[in-house]
Every structure is written in structure tokens, then in C-alpha cells.
Amino acid sequence: MSDFGTVVSHHHTSASSLENRPTGTATKIDSKLTLAMGDHTCCVGTLRYMAPEVVSTSFYGQSCDVFSFGCVLWEILHRRRLFGVHSSKEAARRLVNGQRPDVVLPSQLNSIRELVASCWQGDSLRRPSADRVCKVCHGSTRSLAHCIDVSVK
């Protein structure tokens, strides 16, 4: 379930069961407690991947999902956990303080390296749109597949 409708849930909880809930009511989804806060949820997600504005409980929008995607994309490309030797709480503190691990990729993946860096912008207004993220990923599919195939062998 996504705050912004970009993810379709395939679980038994239907989106219609969440509509028209009074603000501040709790709903159990996939064994997690979600607090309805108007259009968004509060304090829900994986701490290690949360955008700084979500961790600091500031106003947030769809770009927080782009930030999280950048974190997961970094993990996929590097085959290790983001700030892996640290707890999720420490990882979130580092992200809020502007720390980011290096993005080390072959030169043919410069567009992906730039994408990850732009997804991680501390200023949510400087992050790319979800549409832009999809276009860059789609345009880099062959390079990604080649690099992953080479590194697995």
C-alpha cells in the first residue's frame, strides 16, 4: 500500500476498506498498524529507506517514495544493505544528516548513478518525478542487464 497510489496491493485488504476512514483512525494492514492522516500515513515504512522529511515528521509528498526507491536501487546495484553495519535507526540518522554511501558503478551506468544521486536529494523539490525515474530506468535496461549478468558470472 502506498500513500500516493503508485503501488497496487495484492493482499486481502482492499483499498476501498481504507477509504472514508476518519482521520486518526488505525487500520491493520499486513500485520502493521497504519494511522490514517488525511491523504498520508504517519510513521509507517522502513526506517532505513525513509526520506529525511518523513523521519523528521515534516510535510512530505510523493518524492519521499522516490527517495526510498533510490535507497533500494542502491542496494540492488551494490548487493549490500544501505549502511549495513549500522542499525536502521542509525542509518536513518545518517540519511537525515545528509550522508550517502558512494554510488560505484561502471561508466556505462552513469545515468543510473546520476539517478540514484538525484533520488537522494535532501531537498524533496529537487528529486526527480516518478515518471522521470521510470524513463531513466527504462532507457538503461540493456546496460543494467549486461552489468548484472557480467558481475554475477
Side-chain angles (χ1 to χ4, degrees), residues 90-102:
E90 176 62 18
R93 187 192 66 74
R94 288 172 180 256
L95 290 170
V96 167
N97 289 333
Q99 295 178 27
R100 308 290 188 267
D102 291 332

Side-chain angles (χ1 to χ4, degrees), residues 26-112:
T27 304
K28 190 171 182 176
I29 302 173
D30 295 336
S31 303
K32 292 183 180 179
L33 197 60
T34 305
L35 184 62
M37 299 296 290
D39 290 337
H40 306 295
T41 52
C42 177
C43 304
V44 175
T46 303
L47 193 57
R48 186 174 298 273
Y49 310 131
M50 280 186 185
E53 64 271 20
V54 177
V55 174
S56 64
T57 65
S58 301
F59 173 79
Y60 62 92
Q62 188 170 4
S63 69
C64 72
D65 289 340
V66 170
F67 184 94
S68 299
F69 176 78
C71 295
V72 173
L73 182 58
W74 185 92
E75 287 189 346
I76 291 168
L77 295 169
H78 291 83
R79 294 192 176 115
R80 57 187 171 135
R81 198 170 191 189
L82 186 70
F83 297 115
V85 298
H86 301 287
S87 68
S88 291
K89 189 174 184 178
E90 176 62 18
R93 187 192 66 74
R94 288 172 180 256
L95 290 170
V96 167
N97 289 333
Q99 295 178 27
R100 308 290 188 267
D102 291 332
V103 183
V104 181
L105 298 173
S107 60
Q108 64 262 40
L109 291 177
N110 281 338
S111 60
I112 295 295

Side-chain angles (χ1 to χ4, degrees), residues 31 40 63-64 106 126 134 144 146 149:
S31 303
H40 306 295
S63 69
C64 72
R126 295 185 64 199
C134 289
L144 277 168
H146 175 73
D149 186 47

